[in-house]
Amino acid sequence: MSKNPLKIALNALFILMAAIPPATAQDSLFVKQHYDKFEYKVPMRDGINLHTTVYMPKDKNQKYPILMQRTPYSSRPYGEGQMRESIGPSPHLMKDLYIIVYQDVRGRWMSEGDYDNMRPHIKGNNRRNKKEIDESSDTFDTIDWLLKNLKGHNGKVGQWGISYPGFYTAAALPEAHPALVASSPQAPISDFFFDDFHHMGAFLQSYLAAYPVFGYQTEPTSESWYDDKWGAMRNYADTKDGYSYGLELGPLKNVTEKLLPDNFFWQQTVEHPNYDEFWQKRSILPHLSGIDHAVMTVGGWFDAEDLYGPLNIYKTVEKNNPKAKNSIVMGPWSHGDWAREKGHQAVNHIYFGDSISTFYQKNIERTFFNYHLKGEGVANLPEAYMFDTGVNKWQKFDVWPPANIDPVKLRFASGGKLLINEEVDKEAVFSYVSDPAKPVPYVSETEPVTFTPRKFMTDDQRHASKRPDVLTFQTGPLKEDVVLAGEIVARLKVALSSTDADFIVKLIDVNGPDVKPTKVTPDHVVMPGYQQLVRSEVFRGRFRNSFAKPEPFKPGEIEEVNFPLQDILHTFKKGHRIMIQIHSTWFPYIDRNPQKYVDNIFKAEADDFIKAEIKVFGSSAIEIGEDQSMNIPLDMFKK
């Protein structure tokens, strides 16, 4: 089973999520020549010991700041003499010499205690009650122990992490240790109902492959537990056609019976289909206050897993913490790709330039940590360092969303026309029939089952625009460049023949006829007319008024469905077209909505899945560039 694709995917997952940069022979030699490794059992206030690995510079002639990552993906290799080949956020910071610390979080790998996904934050009293712990208190206790027990530090601590380690970084921001002066949550999870396992209430079926990692308790161990927990998941992973297998698997209730019968996190997911207290208390966003140190949040514009997290963590810190030195970086990356340099940066068929990750590592990340932890250099980073994915250029902003780019409103007209800042016939009706038995594929080419697909984030949408169950609207060739920047909100007026449906809205850049292939273009891909996905989101219609209290649609009744698509900075070039697509299935990236309202889709029966006619009215619009997401009713997020 060495070639089992799930095992390959999970091994790659650990390398990525642990933010282990790809090491060269020179990197490995540098670590051995310049660092000593130590392992400690660091006691927490409740008596639990967390396994902590410390890489200490051999040179004792100066004092060094501490740079720490807390991770559920292992601080390995374990044991005396076993060292990582590369340490820290990048080879550049590694060579600048820091005390680099990795810690297995509570209940994972060699650390004691029980594991809890997105452990809820306990506000205020977790500094006084030794029995009440959270990730902030564990980080606080770890920093306190390191400062008291390690020699040769300068009294300053920084932290970083990508993906789940990014959450642990963000979770340590509130009620932080006073020695914590610089934090960089990168691709951080902020809320599992909107990041990773769900998007706007819809379940990411592609995440089934990850449940063996997150759904089992373990004793302290240096060996992976998920190898023994695959069971029937092997058959799921062995398929070469994820679309066909997903249809054969059937409703999600079959996952419980066939794939994950004893997985506690899957059981929690099934029993909490709505944004109830279980999910609400796991969101870190309501707790991001009282922060007074430097925070640099990092994300990728094409991150299929965690795009909501970095944008909303940055905005929440900015709103609640006027004393914080808060900033954001968004580049043309998939999940965590800034931690490794591939020479040229591309997502699927779209090329963005060369050495972009190196530029970030040397000129942004290195500058941030060296200034705040070592006092080196100058604080010359902007509030927002954002990459324009249409013209492949870094832009600097004093505020995000930007105030100097005009907002745009896109509206739908007959004949598949998309109008920019023009009024339309609001009584016009556009309709399609959505069939869960024949869902719209999320990719243009067949893919095997994979954990969190990535290529589709810039994929060609010509396969979708040809389908009768996809509404497609596009502008004529643009007469000048059009810059879309800031927040995007879909404001749809819809009517259903059924009682439930999902809504997928996609913003697409259609190449002009003269666009040439690049160094990453496969021979079979035609770039003229390529419909590049730029931004997209799914919304589960039942949550249109409240994520906590879903409601069925009344057949034939016109209702509003409003939701954010996450931010954008993209220049649509002269000669290109702007396109919007709307449809109601996106498989097997997203699970299928039965389209017949049932209380719990995770328990829906096969005969609950029905066709539905979806009508979208001309009074709908896609709005870009204003602070629009705040205009969505806040009670959608409340109990």
Side-chain angles (χ1 to χ4, degrees):
M1 299 298 295
S2 61
K3 294 184 178 180
N4 182 287
L6 178 58
K7 187 171 184 177
I8 294 172
L10 291 178
N11 287 337
L13 169 70
F14 278 110
I15 293 172
L16 172 63
M17 301 306 188
I20 303 174
T24 65
Q26 291 85 353
D27 291 339
S28 180
L29 182 62
F30 187 92
V31 174
K32 293 177 182 178
Q33 289 180 339
H34 293 85
Y35 286 90
D36 292 316
K37 175 194 162 188
F38 304 91
E39 296 184 9
Y40 302 101
K41 299 298 182 183
V42 176
M44 301 293 101
R45 63 191 61 188
D46 62 346
I48 292 295
N49 294 304
L50 302 188
H51 185 89
T52 306
T53 300
V54 176
Y55 290 86
M56 184 73 69
K58 292 178 182 288
D59 183 356
K60 307 304 180 185
N61 292 322
Q62 60 177 301
K63 295 184 182 297
Y64 303 95
I66 297 170
L67 193 50
M68 179 174 66
Q69 180 189 103
R70 303 183 65 245
T71 177
Y73 300 122
S74 178
S75 63
R76 60 188 178 186
Y78 302 105
E80 184 177 353
Q82 301 296 315
M83 303 181 74
R84 290 191 176 199
E85 294 181 340
S86 183
I87 58 175
S90 74
H92 312 289
L93 284 165
M94 174 184 73
K95 293 174 182 177
D96 287 339
L97 297 183
Y98 282 78
I99 299 171
I100 305 293
V101 176
Y102 294 94
Q103 183 178 78
D104 293 338
V105 298
R106 184 180 292 255
R108 275 297 172 254
W109 295 88
M110 291 293 287
S111 285
E112 300 171 354
D114 292 330
Y115 180 68
D116 192 357
N117 283 292
M118 298 281 287
R119 189 184 303 276
H121 182 81
I122 302 172
K123 189 173 181 62
N125 66 356
N126 65 342
R127 297 293 162 262
R128 300 187 292 273
N129 190 332
K130 291 186 177 181
K131 293 182 180 180
E132 292 186 321
I133 57 87
D134 56 22
E135 303 305 340
S136 178
S137 70
D138 279 357
T139 306
F140 188 103
D141 293 351
T142 299
I143 292 174
D144 209 51
W145 188 94
L146 292 172
L147 294 175
K148 293 175 180 177
N149 290 275
L150 298 183
K151 296 180 180 180
H153 64 76
N154 71 355
K156 294 183 177 181
V157 180
Q159 57 169 348
W160 94 101
I162 295 176
S163 193
Y164 221 141
F167 159 75
Y168 290 108
T169 303
L173 296 179
E175 302 170 333
H177 194 286
L180 182 60
V181 298
S183 296
S184 184
Q186 302 180 8
I189 309 162
S190 63
D191 190 318
F192 262 167
F193 209 71
F194 304 98
D195 283 316
D196 281 312
F197 291 88
H198 301 82
H199 277 206
M200 294 289 150
F203 176 66
L204 268 67
Q205 187 156 331
S206 59
Y207 260 67
L208 287 176
Y211 273 87
V213 179
F214 301 108
Y216 298 99
Q217 299 289 354
T218 66
E219 296 296 325
T221 177
S222 62
E223 302 294 330
S224 65
W225 59 92
Y226 51 87
D227 286 350
D228 296 330
K229 297 297 184 180
W230 280 341
M233 288 295 287
R234 285 193 176 93
N235 294 328
Y236 173 74
D238 281 337
T239 180
K240 295 181 180 180
D241 181 353
Y243 183 91
S244 298
Y245 181 84
L247 292 176
E248 292 172 5
L249 178 63
L252 290 177
K253 68 185 292 291
N254 293 339
V255 173
T256 304
E257 299 171 2
K258 298 178 180 180
L259 301 181
L260 299 168
D262 62 344
N263 187 290
F264 79 81
F265 188 46
W266 173 250
Q267 293 167 359
Q268 291 170 334
T269 303
V270 170
E271 294 304 321
H272 299 279
N274 308 322
Y275 194 52
D276 59 12
E277 184 181 6
F278 176 82
W279 298 113
Q280 291 178 28
K281 69 182 182 181
R282 283 167 166 73
S283 174
I284 194 60
L285 295 176
H287 306 289
L288 295 179
S289 58
I291 301 165
D292 59 5
H293 67 273
V295 181
M296 184 180 75
T297 305
V298 181
W301 285 128
F302 303 108
D303 189 337
E305 301 168 48
D306 300 303
L307 181 58
Y308 178 94
L311 291 167
N312 285 280
I313 284 175
Y314 161 76
K315 291 176 186 178
T316 304
V317 173
E318 185 72 9
K319 178 182 178 181
N320 296 342
N321 303 274
K323 294 183 179 180
K325 306 173 189 70
N326 187 41
S327 59
I328 185 171
V329 181
M330 296 295 295
W333 299 297
S334 295
H335 191 66
D337 277 352
W338 50 90
R340 58 202 49 79
E341 180 57 77
K342 298 181 291 186
H344 58 264
Q345 177 58 37
V347 179
N348 200 17
H349 307 138
I350 305 302
Y351 168 72
F352 295 103
D354 293 335
S355 303
I356 293 176
S357 294
T358 296
F359 174 86
Y360 158 78
Q361 292 172 12
K362 293 179 68 174
N363 298 288
I364 301 176
E365 184 178 55
R366 188 185 193 187
T367 299
F368 173 79
F369 280 120
N370 280 353
Y371 176 78
H372 291 290
L373 296 177
K374 291 190 171 187
E376 297 177 359
V378 294
N380 61 353
L381 294 176
E383 172 84 9
Y385 223 137
M386 317 296 267
F387 193 90
D388 185 322
T389 55
V391 293
N392 298 343
K393 181 181 178 181
W394 285 104
Q395 303 280 9
K396 299 178 182 180
F397 298 94
D398 295 331
V399 62
W400 188 266
N404 60 341
I405 298 177
D406 293 335
V408 169
K409 183 175 292 187
L410 304 176
R411 291 191 180 276
F412 316 134
S414 60
K417 294 180 180 179
L418 185 68
L419 303 183
I420 303 176
N421 296 330
E422 294 185 37
E423 292 300 318
V424 296
D425 179 5
K426 295 183 179 181
E427 301 302 318
V429 180
F430 313 96
S431 66
Y432 60 95
V433 175
S434 174
D435 185 355
K438 299 176 182 179
V440 178
Y442 75 96
V443 285
S444 59
E445 300 174 325
T446 300
E447 280 197 343
V449 170
T450 181
F451 167 73
T452 310
R454 299 184 176 198
K455 295 180 179 179
F456 86 96
M457 290 292 284
T458 63
D459 200 11
D460 188 359
Q461 300 303 305
R462 281 178 284 201
H463 72 286
S465 61
K466 298 174 183 177
R467 291 178 59 110
D469 53 354
V470 177
L471 293 181
T472 300
F473 305 92
Q474 65 178 335
T475 66
L478 298 174
K479 297 180 180 179
E480 59 184 6
D481 289 355
V482 176
V483 180
L484 299 186
E487 298 175 339
I488 309 175
V489 171
R491 299 191 180 278
L492 304 182
K493 298 288 183 64
V494 303
L496 281 59
S497 66
S498 61
T499 50
D500 199 9
D502 291 346
F503 296 90
I504 293 95
V505 174
K506 299 187 294 195
L507 175 64
I508 296 162
D509 186 342
V510 183
N511 281 352
D514 300 325
V515 174
K516 305 298 183 184
T518 69
K519 62 179 71 178
V520 304
T521 306
D523 291 340
H524 69 281
V525 174
V526 177
M527 294 309 291
Y530 190 102
Q531 298 175 6
Q532 180 203 333
L533 185 62
V534 175
R535 181 63 70 243
S536 58
E537 189 59 281
V538 59
F539 183 83
R540 186 134 286 172
R542 60 177 51 213
F543 297 121
R544 63 200 179 279
N545 295 317
S546 169
F547 283 109
K549 297 178 180 179
E551 302 173 28
F553 286 83
K554 295 179 180 179
E557 186 171 305
I558 299 176
E559 299 198 47
E560 294 185 3
V561 175
N562 304 322
F563 60 97
L565 273 69
Q566 313 316 324
D567 297 21
I568 188 177
L569 178 59
H570 188 88
T571 297
F572 291 77
K573 296 178 182 179
K574 178 181 177 180
H576 287 221
R577 300 170 186 257
I578 302 173
M579 176 182 285
I580 294 291
Q581 290 182 359
I582 302 172
H583 49 96
S584 292
T585 53
W586 210 17
F587 194 72
Y589 178 54
I590 301 296
D591 73 309
R592 295 172 300 149
N593 189 322
Q595 302 186 159
K596 169 187 174 183
Y597 184 90
V598 295
D599 289 336
N600 188 338
I601 291 179
F602 293 96
K603 298 180 179 181
E605 301 290 344
D607 57 7
D608 291 324
F609 289 76
I610 61 173
K611 295 180 181 180
E613 182 184 17
I614 314 293
K615 293 181 179 180
V616 178
F617 292 85
S619 52
S620 303
I622 309 298
E623 300 175 347
I624 304 110
E626 296 183 1
D627 191 14
Q628 294 283 13
S629 63
M630 296 299 101
N631 294 332
I632 294 177
L634 294 179
D635 60 0
M636 290 179 65
F637 297 88
K638 296 180 180 179
K639 296 181 181 179

Short mmCIF file of all heavy atoms in Angstrom, two decimals, residues 411-419 424 430 472-476:
data_model
loop_
_atom_site.label_atom_id
_atom_site.label_comp_id
_atom_site.label_asym_id
_atom_site.label_seq_id
_atom_site.Cartn_x
_atom_site.Cartn_y
_atom_site.Cartn_z
N ARG A 411 -24.26 43.36 -12.97
CA ARG A 411 -25.66 42.95 -13.06
C ARG A 411 -25.88 42.06 -14.28
O ARG A 411 -25.10 42.10 -15.24
CB ARG A 411 -26.58 44.18 -13.14
CG ARG A 411 -26.64 44.99 -11.85
CD ARG A 411 -27.76 46.01 -11.91
NE ARG A 411 -27.88 46.81 -10.72
CZ ARG A 411 -28.56 46.44 -9.62
NH1 ARG A 411 -29.13 45.26 -9.58
NH2 ARG A 411 -28.66 47.24 -8.59
N PHE A 412 -26.97 41.29 -14.25
CA PHE A 412 -27.25 40.30 -15.27
C PHE A 412 -28.34 40.81 -16.23
O PHE A 412 -29.35 41.35 -15.80
CB PHE A 412 -27.72 38.99 -14.62
CG PHE A 412 -26.90 38.58 -13.43
CD1 PHE A 412 -27.50 38.14 -12.25
CD2 PHE A 412 -25.51 38.61 -13.47
CE1 PHE A 412 -26.75 37.77 -11.16
CE2 PHE A 412 -24.74 38.25 -12.39
CZ PHE A 412 -25.37 37.82 -11.22
N ALA A 413 -28.09 40.57 -17.53
CA ALA A 413 -29.07 40.99 -18.55
C ALA A 413 -29.33 39.84 -19.51
O ALA A 413 -28.59 38.85 -19.54
CB ALA A 413 -28.54 42.21 -19.30
N SER A 414 -30.37 39.98 -20.28
CA SER A 414 -30.75 38.92 -21.23
C SER A 414 -29.64 38.69 -22.23
O SER A 414 -28.80 39.56 -22.48
CB SER A 414 -32.04 39.30 -21.94
OG SER A 414 -31.88 40.51 -22.66
N GLY A 415 -29.64 37.49 -22.81
CA GLY A 415 -28.62 37.13 -23.78
C GLY A 415 -27.29 36.80 -23.14
O GLY A 415 -26.26 36.79 -23.82
N GLY A 416 -27.29 36.55 -21.82
CA GLY A 416 -26.05 36.21 -21.12
C GLY A 416 -25.11 37.38 -20.95
O GLY A 416 -23.90 37.19 -20.77
N LYS A 417 -25.65 38.60 -20.97
CA LYS A 417 -24.80 39.78 -20.84
C LYS A 417 -24.57 40.12 -19.37
O LYS A 417 -25.47 40.02 -18.54
CB LYS A 417 -25.45 40.97 -21.55
CG LYS A 417 -25.55 40.81 -23.08
CD LYS A 417 -26.21 42.03 -23.70
CE LYS A 417 -26.32 41.87 -25.22
NZ LYS A 417 -26.99 43.06 -25.84
N LEU A 418 -23.35 40.56 -19.10
CA LEU A 418 -22.97 41.05 -17.77
C LEU A 418 -22.65 42.53 -17.91
O LEU A 418 -21.79 42.92 -18.71
CB LEU A 418 -21.76 40.28 -17.24
CG LEU A 418 -21.32 40.60 -15.81
CD1 LEU A 418 -22.36 40.12 -14.81
CD2 LEU A 418 -19.96 39.95 -15.51
N LEU A 419 -23.34 43.35 -17.15
CA LEU A 419 -23.20 44.79 -17.25
C LEU A 419 -22.45 45.34 -16.05
O LEU A 419 -22.66 44.90 -14.91
CB LEU A 419 -24.57 45.45 -17.37
CG LEU A 419 -25.44 44.98 -18.54
CD1 LEU A 419 -26.75 45.76 -18.58
CD2 LEU A 419 -24.70 45.11 -19.87
N VAL A 424 -30.41 47.42 -15.13
CA VAL A 424 -30.93 46.37 -16.00
C VAL A 424 -32.42 46.20 -15.73
O VAL A 424 -33.00 46.85 -14.86
CB VAL A 424 -30.20 45.02 -15.72
CG1 VAL A 424 -28.74 45.13 -16.07
CG2 VAL A 424 -30.38 44.59 -14.27
N PHE A 430 -33.88 34.41 -15.06
CA PHE A 430 -32.94 33.44 -15.64
C PHE A 430 -33.08 32.15 -14.84
O PHE A 430 -33.03 32.19 -13.60
CB PHE A 430 -31.52 33.98 -15.58
CG PHE A 430 -31.40 35.41 -16.04
CD1 PHE A 430 -31.41 36.46 -15.12
CD2 PHE A 430 -31.32 35.71 -17.38
CE1 PHE A 430 -31.31 37.77 -15.53
CE2 PHE A 430 -31.23 37.03 -17.81
CZ PHE A 430 -31.23 38.07 -16.88
N THR A 472 -24.54 31.59 -17.14
CA THR A 472 -23.29 32.25 -17.51
C THR A 472 -23.59 33.63 -18.08
O THR A 472 -24.39 33.78 -19.00
CB THR A 472 -22.52 31.41 -18.54
OG1 THR A 472 -22.22 30.13 -17.99
CG2 THR A 472 -21.22 32.11 -18.92
N PHE A 473 -22.95 34.63 -17.50
CA PHE A 473 -23.08 36.01 -17.96
C PHE A 473 -21.67 36.57 -18.17
O PHE A 473 -20.79 36.37 -17.33
CB PHE A 473 -23.81 36.87 -16.93
CG PHE A 473 -25.16 36.34 -16.53
CD1 PHE A 473 -25.29 35.50 -15.43
CD2 PHE A 473 -26.30 36.69 -17.24
CE1 PHE A 473 -26.53 35.00 -15.04
CE2 PHE A 473 -27.55 36.19 -16.87
CZ PHE A 473 -27.66 35.35 -15.77
N GLN A 474 -21.46 37.29 -19.25
CA GLN A 474 -20.14 37.89 -19.48
C GLN A 474 -20.26 39.25 -20.17
O GLN A 474 -21.21 39.51 -20.89
CB GLN A 474 -19.25 36.96 -20.30
CG GLN A 474 -19.71 36.69 -21.72
CD GLN A 474 -18.72 35.80 -22.47
OE1 GLN A 474 -17.54 35.76 -22.15
NE2 GLN A 474 -19.20 35.09 -23.47
N THR A 475 -19.26 40.08 -19.91
CA THR A 475 -19.17 41.37 -20.57
C THR A 475 -18.66 41.17 -21.99
O THR A 475 -18.20 40.09 -22.37
CB THR A 475 -18.21 42.30 -19.83
OG1 THR A 475 -16.87 41.77 -19.94
CG2 THR A 475 -18.57 42.46 -18.37
N GLY A 476 -18.71 42.21 -22.78
CA GLY A 476 -17.97 42.21 -24.03
C GLY A 476 -16.50 42.42 -23.73
O GLY A 476 -16.10 42.61 -22.57
#
